[in-house]
Amino acid sequence: IQVCGVNKNTMVLDLGSGIGGTARYMSNQTGCHVDALELQGDLCVAAEKLTDRCGLSNSVHQIQGNFMEMETSLGKYNAIVSFLVFLHIPDRPSLLQKCFESMAPGGTLYVEDFFQINAFTEEEQRMLREDVYVSSLPTLDEIQQQLEQVGFTDVTIQNLTERWSTHVTERAVSYKENLARNVRVHGEDGAQGLSHFYSVVSQLFQGGNLGGVVFHAKKPI
């Protein structure tokens, strides 16, 4: 909110909004309007119900669709935010170009994502591809270059790998230790699936080749 300068007059795109938590929080805190774009239909349905329950349906607009295939809303957004979604989109230059075109002059792009520290092993590539649904990741230098090539300025990149590595490891251990409770809440298949996913992400961070990053940049006025 602070980085993007969000207020009641801000138009935000939450790219890959999931069940809408970020969109609702931003709107509730600032009064801004948010287009919450999510690819998966079941998550959109859940998001709409939760948003309505929170009384935010007038300011948070849930949209189901693929950002890369949708018609670009030229200059519509003052801020685009995305959390752990860019990693699933292999054509990063086209993604950034579409974000740039969708933003109003002076707008801010804010992204939290994974990046590649060193070359992945064959096993790490398999885990990324089959368990995390990631086909490729940029390095920090490539993130900087891609943003600037599109036209973004004031690029800020923060390496969060150490913090995220600790978090994902603790999360995997905690979820497994409480698996019986999680099975009751999520069901056998859901709990086992999450436990496996958390374990894979922990292994990838511990391998030293996967990192976590937050970056933000401005579209020139």
Side-chain angles (χ1 to χ4, degrees), residues 157-216:
I157 297 176
Q158 183 179 4
N159 188 337
L160 300 178
T161 302
E162 184 176 353
R163 186 190 308 175
W164 285 17
S165 181
T166 299
H167 167 70
V168 299
T169 299
E170 292 175 349
R171 178 182 64 176
V173 171
S174 176
Y175 197 88
K176 190 170 184 178
E177 288 178 343
N178 294 280
L179 189 59
R181 176 265 180 193
N182 293 322
V183 167
R184 291 195 301 272
V185 174
H186 302 293
E188 182 71 30
D189 290 344
Q192 292 292 352
L194 276 174
S195 183
H196 174 72
F197 175 76
Y198 291 158
S199 176
V200 165
V201 174
S202 176
Q203 290 177 57
L204 287 166
F205 269 91
Q206 289 175 13
N209 296 323
L210 179 67
V213 62
V214 57
F215 61 85
H216 49 88

Side-chain angles (χ1 to χ4, degrees), residues 16-19 37-47 62-66 88 133:
S17 56
I19 61 172
L37 177 62
E38 171 55 44
L39 178 63
Q40 300 182 61
D42 56 340
L43 297 183
C44 286
V45 171
Q62 192 68 42
I63 304 171
Q64 181 183 356
N66 185 332
H88 298 299
Y133 303 104

Side-chain angles (χ1 to χ4, degrees), residues 14-31:
D14 183 1
L15 181 51
S17 56
I19 61 172
T22 297
R24 287 189 296 275
Y25 179 81
M26 294 182 73
S27 182
N28 183 63
Q29 292 294 307
T30 68

Side-chain angles (χ1 to χ4, degrees), residues 15 80-90 92 95-96 99 109 111-113 136-137 215:
L15 181 51
I80 296 179
V81 301
S82 188
F83 298 87
L84 296 177
V85 173
F86 275 37
L87 57 95
H88 298 299
I89 303 174
R92 187 64 65 97
L95 169 61
L96 292 174
C99 288
L109 174 69
V111 177
E112 295 189 9
D113 206 29
S136 63
L137 288 171
F215 61 85

